[in-house]
Amino acid sequence: MTTGTPLSPGVSPARADRADRLDRVRKLLAKAERAGTPEEAETYNAKAVELMARHGIDEALLAADDPRRDEIGMVRIGMEDPYSAGKARLLGWTAAALRCRWVMHGAAGGKVAAVTVFGFGSDRERVELLYTSLLLQATGQLVRLRPPWPGESVAAYRRSWLQGFAAQVHQRLLEAEERAAAEATAGDGGERAVGTALVLVDRGAQVDRAYAEAFPQLARARRPSLSGSGFAEGAEAGRRADLGGRRIDGRRSGPHGLAAGPG
């Protein structure tokens, strides 16, 4: 005998499985947010991101057979102060790691009004889900931080901490995505391995073309210059929320803090 929630009329088993998988990710991230120690949070984050990365690969392969199930679009997300620019980079670098592009709006004076995330629907959904949790985890630590050096600005220290956190999250997500792609073809090799790689390359090219058409005049912003000394501690916090990844030799270096985010 099996138990579970009955399918509503018109809901396919594949769609129900997708919803169930994302629900498991949400529950894992919620446990990370409530964790009593960084180590406990890391465990839940690692499981959530591993599952989310596999979900991204599965959706990409399914969409290759049925493009209508996963279309390119955009979502605009408002940023709130304090540290709106740092929050924008956390969102943008998360989006870049999950095969999306991003644009900052109203960036001036160290503030950002909003960020548009541009990409396939399944990837945008992953970005929003993960960013919401990461922002809660980061700000929960941020409000307690004080610089170690007398006289250093608390705000400057926190801004640099948040950038370090975002950079490490970006790197860990890149590694999780790479592992998921490799595991999707492990043991199969041959045509499936080539097919998966081609699907991901093609999706990236589609996003780049659509992005260029949507934002033809967009210029790249300058890399942010922050004076605070908190980058290293922020990076360490990003490693604790490190999403389970090990460093992979030869990976590209950290993300670019640009108005037109990396693809």
Side-chain angles (χ1 to χ4, degrees), residues 25 28 41-52 54 243-244:
V25 169
L28 286 166
E42 176 185 341
T43 298
Y44 290 126
N45 275 326
K47 292 178 181 178
V49 172
E50 179 184 358
L51 183 60
M52 190 180 294
R54 292 202 305 268
L243 320 177

Side-chain angles (χ1 to χ4, degrees), residues 4-233:
T5 303
L7 294 180
S8 301
V11 177
S12 68
R15 190 169 183 177
D17 179 67
R18 177 176 179 269
D20 178 66
R21 184 161 39 187
L22 288 177
D23 185 55
R24 282 185 285 156
V25 169
R26 291 187 183 94
K27 289 177 179 178
L28 286 166
L29 291 173
K31 289 180 179 179
E33 293 158 14
R34 299 191 300 267
T37 66
E39 292 75 19
E40 184 183 1
E42 176 185 341
T43 298
Y44 290 126
N45 275 326
K47 292 178 181 178
V49 172
E50 179 184 358
L51 183 60
M52 190 180 294
R54 292 202 305 268
H55 174 73
I57 298 296
D58 290 345
E59 287 293 310
L61 295 176
L62 289 170
D65 294 328
D66 180 12
R68 293 173 299 177
R69 68 175 282 125
D70 198 9
E71 297 181 348
I72 293 174
M74 65 183 80
V75 59
R76 182 166 171 148
I77 300 173
M79 297 292 108
E80 295 184 358
D81 282 322
Y83 315 116
S84 59
K87 293 171 182 176
R89 285 189 288 273
L90 177 61
L91 173 56
W93 294 351
T94 297
L98 301 185
R99 297 192 292 276
C100 291
R101 301 293 295 265
W102 61 291
V103 181
M104 291 190 295
H105 304 284
K111 298 183 179 183
V112 174
V115 170
T116 289
V117 175
F118 191 94
F120 282 96
S122 62
D123 292 330
R124 296 196 315 271
E125 186 175 27
R126 293 194 300 149
V127 170
E128 290 189 78
L129 180 59
L130 186 55
Y131 169 71
T132 299
S133 179
L134 287 171
L135 181 62
L136 184 59
Q137 294 180 55
T139 54
Q141 298 178 64
L142 201 62
V143 296
R144 300 191 296 269
L145 293 174
R146 295 293 184 276
W149 312 112
E152 181 178 354
S153 164
V154 173
Y157 179 81
R158 288 175 175 175
R159 282 193 293 269
S160 60
W161 184 96
L162 188 53
Q163 178 159 325
F165 181 90
Q168 280 299 317
V169 163
H170 174 88
Q171 179 63 30
R172 299 302 186 180
L173 287 173
L174 283 176
E175 294 171 0
E177 292 293 301
E178 184 174 273
R179 285 196 305 277
E183 290 167 1
T185 59
D188 293 310
E191 293 183 1
R192 181 176 178 183
V194 173
T196 300
L198 289 177
V199 165
L200 296 179
V201 169
D202 182 63
R203 279 168 69 91
Q206 289 183 57
V207 170
D208 287 346
R209 287 194 299 269
Y211 175 85
E213 292 174 4
F215 303 100
Q217 305 299 322
L218 191 65
R220 283 184 173 268
R222 292 178 298 174
R223 184 182 295 275
S225 177
L226 302 178
S227 60
S229 66
F231 185 93
E233 287 198 28

